[in-house]
Amino acid sequence: MKEGYELVYKRPSTLTDRRMSYCPGCFHSTIHKFMMEIVEEMDIQDKTVGVCPVGCSVFAYNYLDIDMQEAAHGRAAAVATGIKRVLPDRIVFSYQGDGDLAAIGTAETLHACNRGENFTFIFINNGIYGMTGGQMAPTTLDGQITSTCPYGRDVETAGMPMKMAEIISSFEKVSYVERVSCNTPANARKAKRAIRKAFEYQMEGMGTTFIEVAANCPSNWKLTPEESLKWLEEKVYPYYPLGVFRDVKKLKKEE
Amino acid sequence: MAEVKLMKGNEALAEAAIRAGMQAYFGYPITPQSEVIEYLAAQEPKHDYVLIQAESELAAVNMLYGSGGAGARVMTTTSSPGFSLMQEGVSYMACAEIPCVMVNVVRGGPGLGTVQPSQGDYFQAVKGGGHGDYHVIVLGPNSVQEMVDHIYLAFELADKYRAPTLILADGAIGQMMEKVILPAPIKYEPDKPWATTGKTPDRERNILTSLYIQSEDMEQRNLKLQAKYKVILKNEIRYEEYEIEDAEYIIVAYGLCSRIAKNVVNRARDEGLKLGLFRPISLWPYPWDRIGEIADADRVKFFISVEMNAGQMVEDVKLAVCGKKPVFFFGRLGGIVPTPEETYEAIKEKIG
């Protein structure tokens, strides 16, 4: 460090040097950075095991310098359950998209939460299938256009977009549920705080923690990164409100 | 300390898994093997293994993936429709090289089928089952004692080769009671530097994956697996021969059918008919070469594969015999166990 200079920002040592495969403006890279900053700050690199299933983030293990398992599509919660149960003192997280967590893997997700499996879900909800090129997700908004609902999602036939944070918050053995976003620096900081809180609750053995990121997908929404942030504010947050949906520590205090 | 007991196949298998150092079990109830998870649930307070009754076989096999990948000695058991559901995970574990023991206590199919014993899943077990070029090691026990012995062996093979290992039993072996010698419990100490246990400063991060998006990388991964399979083919072929030395007619049978076949051989010998039994114990790798050697002997007139299916293993027998001698088939379907009488009649008919 040069004299007279102050270090205000650095890449966490827990991120690899590899160039990320994510599109410009996508929140994946931001969330990756937050997770790895937390791992560095909490000094838990040797205790952290991640699970990345099929989706854009299937390559997460190329960027996160921690032990990781790649899981089959939808099966991350079951894989994370297996890891955490045999290594109960490790910090385990699954990093899943909306197709993975809320469509093909709904059973694994709900039952892991119902059992209160003591790991952290990081759920990236961008309302679309990114990796396969922009098809409808269980979380695609009413009327939103995708390649498999080219005239807009018809909720009469496709059902309503699934509010996973709200659903998950109904499970008694889930300790913390928050929906966050990264559209502004303030919200991004909140997102990081939420992930850290989830890891801390996990270390205390409080049960399942679930962080939903109301995320963007500029490429498949066919918007610029900046326009995608506007879309989030105008369309996404009104249906998927940000905030804490369950916090057992607060619930206990209220009792 | 070893113990002698009278036990049901499924329960003996469960007890053997505990004694062999199993650290986690994941399963979903399905007839005719639900006694395994029931036994393990009853014994759980006395031991420190993880036990989860999963929400589905799909979840169970993926819990197996996670915990096996984390370095633990892990097992699941199921029966035919359940094993079909697990095939996704089996393919992933084969590619990611995750050791685990799986048991399929086979019932009659296809579809929901019947809960009666069958060998209808032979193709699924030895020729793939899931997608892609892979094999699992497959053992075919024919007694309650072998349900026990094969558990120890399966855990060893799984760890040695970092390969999913399958015990292909059937409903009868799972349900019947026999005297069994239970070996002394072993203390299992995992030595798996590749496991995802948390990256320590002295090593690179461990990644378990079956994804190699570049074709060149995927080909290399496949070649690595194939090289491993070659070693397994060389080292792990197991079989039993009974009255083969002077046999002119040879029954090939595994599992429950080999018990029936032995009975038939004894009857035939009493009547002066030179019948012998060849029993493959490892179903993959299959003892093709040994069967081929037997087929070379001038005295041998034909082979007959006896199975509880429409004729599946008979294809491997034909492959092994390679046209040198005739290969016939006799079997019953739908959960029916062939009787020694009808099996003997079928053989005599071929002799003419």
Side-chain angles (χ1 to χ4, degrees):
Chain A
M1 183 67 53
K2 266 189 191 171
E3 206 178 319
Y5 284 79
E6 185 195 348
L7 181 69
V8 292
Y9 179 81
K10 74 172 180 66
R11 179 193 188 83
S13 63
T14 41
L15 268 183
T16 66
D17 269 341
R18 202 142 158 184
R19 183 183 297 178
M20 288 186 182
S21 54
Y22 303 121
C23 305
C26 169
F27 289 178
H28 269 311
S29 40
T30 317
I31 298 297
H32 278 26
K33 184 185 74 172
F34 288 160
M35 289 192 308
M36 289 305 102
E37 282 177 349
I38 292 163
V39 166
E40 189 179 51
E41 287 159 16
M42 294 174 78
D43 194 20
I44 52 170
Q45 187 182 25
D46 60 344
K47 288 192 179 62
T48 306
V49 183
V51 180
C52 54
V54 176
C56 288
S57 57
V58 72
F59 292 115
Y61 54 73
N62 285 331
Y63 317 124
L64 315 183
D65 192 18
I66 54 169
D67 282 1
M68 289 198 80
Q69 294 192 15
E70 177 254 330
H73 196 21
R75 316 291 167 237
V79 171
T81 297
I83 299 170
K84 184 71 184 192
R85 287 290 189 109
V86 299
L87 299 173
D89 63 336
R90 306 306 200 276
I91 310 302
V92 177
F93 68 87
S94 73
Y95 188 95
Q96 303 176 249
D98 35 45
D100 196 80
L101 181 136
I104 194 166
T106 317
E108 286 81 357
T109 303
L110 297 192
H111 283 278
C113 290
N114 189 44
R115 289 189 302 266
E117 296 293 343
N118 191 29
F119 67 84
T120 300
F121 285 91
I122 307 290
F123 170 41
I124 308 296
N125 173 13
N126 58 11
I128 204 157
Y129 282 66
M131 196 182 217
T132 45
Q135 295 82 13
M136 181 172 67
T139 47
T140 297
L141 294 171
D142 185 2
Q144 186 180 343
I145 289 167
T146 75
S147 69
T148 51
C149 50
Y151 312 108
R153 181 185 184 119
D154 179 358
V155 296
E156 291 305 314
T157 54
M160 293 298 288
M162 287 171 76
K163 297 185 170 189
M164 291 311 292
E166 287 84 340
I167 292 169
I168 299 303
S169 64
S170 71
F171 287 100
E172 283 186 27
K173 296 184 81 173
V174 171
S175 62
Y176 193 78
V177 181
E178 182 172 353
R179 185 181 287 123
V180 297
S181 195
C182 297
N183 61 318
T184 62
N187 274 344
R189 276 198 299 275
K190 271 190 201 165
K192 185 179 168 182
R193 269 205 299 274
I195 295 169
R196 177 158 181 147
K197 196 168 195 175
F199 280 14
E200 285 168 352
Y201 275 38
Q202 184 184 154
M203 286 172 99
E204 292 171 40
M206 310 247 331
T208 313
T209 42
F210 188 97
I211 306 301
E212 175 172 340
V213 182
N216 59 347
C217 183
S219 296
N220 287 303
W221 289 0
K222 310 208 187 310
L223 300 172
T224 65
E226 202 179 353
E227 286 165 353
S228 78
L229 300 185
K230 256 191 212 131
W231 169 277
L232 277 171
E233 286 154 19
E234 287 169 11
K235 310 272 187 180
V236 176
Y237 304 151
Y239 187 81
Y240 293 118
L242 308 184
V244 177
F245 290 85
R246 183 173 175 84
D247 182 346
V248 286
K249 285 196 180 174
K250 285 227 170 99
L251 286 174
K252 272 182 191 155
K253 268 185 205 159
E254 282 163 14
E255 279 167 13
Chain B
M1 210 182 63
E3 262 183 283
V4 182
K5 275 191 172 179
L6 179 69
M7 283 185 101
K8 205 173 189 179
N10 288 332
E11 291 174 351
L13 174 134
E15 176 60 31
I18 298 171
R19 288 171 180 247
M22 180 192 74
Q23 293 167 307
Y25 173 91
F26 310 96
Y28 187 88
I30 182 169
T31 310
Q33 64 75 54
S34 299
E35 294 88 354
V36 179
I37 188 169
E38 288 169 350
Y39 186 92
L40 291 173
Q43 298 296 317
E44 194 186 5
K46 286 190 257 170
H47 302 276
D48 59 358
Y49 51 80
V50 170
L51 173 83
I52 298 184
Q53 180 174 330
E55 59 271 28
S56 68
E57 285 89 350
L58 206 50
V61 78
N62 282 284
M63 290 171 187
L64 205 65
Y65 180 108
S67 55
R73 186 162 256 197
V74 296
M75 180 173 91
T76 188
T77 63
T78 186
S79 181
S80 307
F83 198 50
S84 290
L85 264 179
M86 289 187 181
Q87 291 308 315
E88 173 191 71
V90 180
S91 169
Y92 277 69
M93 287 194 290
C95 189
E97 296 191 283
I98 292 176
C100 66
V101 171
M102 309 170 292
V103 182
N104 181 359
V105 181
V106 181
R107 59 190 247 183
L112 197 51
T114 162
V115 297
Q116 300 302 324
S118 163
Q119 295 180 326
D121 299 354
Y122 179 87
F123 282 152
Q124 183 192 50
V126 306
K127 306 291 180 190
H131 58 284
D133 279 302
Y134 77 90
H135 284 288
V136 298
I137 300 169
V138 186
L139 302 169
N142 78 346
S143 63
V144 175
Q145 184 63 54
E146 279 195 348
M147 286 289 248
V148 170
D149 299 343
H150 284 187
I151 282 287
Y152 278 72
L153 177 60
F155 275 126
E156 272 169 38
L157 293 175
D159 282 352
K160 182 175 176 188
Y161 295 103
R162 274 188 70 179
T165 300
L166 171 67
I167 294 176
L168 190 69
D170 65 63
I173 306 279
Q175 293 296 325
M176 69 188 186
M177 290 184 87
E178 284 187 304
K179 187 185 88 170
V180 62
I181 302 165
L182 297 162
I186 54 171
K187 176 89 187 119
Y188 174 65
E189 302 285 351
D191 178 23
K192 295 172 177 170
W194 49 263
T196 59
T197 52
K199 178 192 180 298
T200 44
D202 58 331
R203 66 162 169 86
E204 291 297 305
R205 64 190 189 282
N206 286 337
I207 293 163
L208 295 172
T209 183
S210 62
L211 173 70
Y212 299 86
I213 202 86
Q214 302 297 336
S215 299
E216 293 77 10
D217 297 339
M218 194 67 228
E219 186 179 46
Q220 285 308 312
R221 185 63 180 184
N222 267 288
L223 292 172
K224 186 181 178 226
L225 291 177
Q226 293 304 320
K228 176 167 82 176
Y229 297 148
K230 257 193 188 162
V231 178
I232 296 172
L233 276 163
K234 189 166 164 277
N235 294 342
E236 306 302 343
I237 287 174
R238 290 171 167 80
Y239 55 84
E240 181 194 349
E241 295 178 357
Y242 183 68
E243 303 279 6
I244 287 282
E245 303 76 25
D246 62 342
E248 294 173 4
Y249 312 100
I250 292 167
I251 305 177
V252 186
Y254 77 95
L256 187 66
C257 284
S258 69
R259 302 278 290 265
I260 297 154
K262 201 172 248 184
N263 187 314
V264 173
V265 169
N266 291 340
R267 286 185 196 197
R269 290 277 167 176
D270 286 347
E271 292 177 14
L273 200 62
K274 290 186 172 172
L275 191 61
L277 165 66
F278 185 88
R279 171 168 84 103
I281 295 172
S282 60
L283 301 175
W284 198 93
Y286 194 80
W288 294 285
D289 289 353
R290 180 59 192 147
I291 293 177
E293 278 170 25
I294 296 168
D296 282 332
D298 288 339
R299 65 166 203 286
V300 174
K301 298 200 170 67
F302 70 70
F303 291 80
I304 182 163
S305 186
V306 176
E307 305 174 49
M308 296 189 292
N309 56 38
Q312 297 191 17
M313 184 182 70
V314 66
E315 293 192 6
D316 275 318
V317 181
K318 282 181 179 169
L319 209 58
V321 171
C322 205
K324 288 183 273 196
K325 299 287 160 61
V327 176
F328 301 113
F329 168 75
F330 176 71
R332 294 296 304 267
L333 290 157
I336 293 176
V337 179
T339 64
E341 292 74 21
E342 63 187 351
T343 306
Y344 193 25
E345 282 310 309
I347 293 164
K348 283 202 280 198
E349 197 180 293
K350 298 293 177 202
I351 294 169

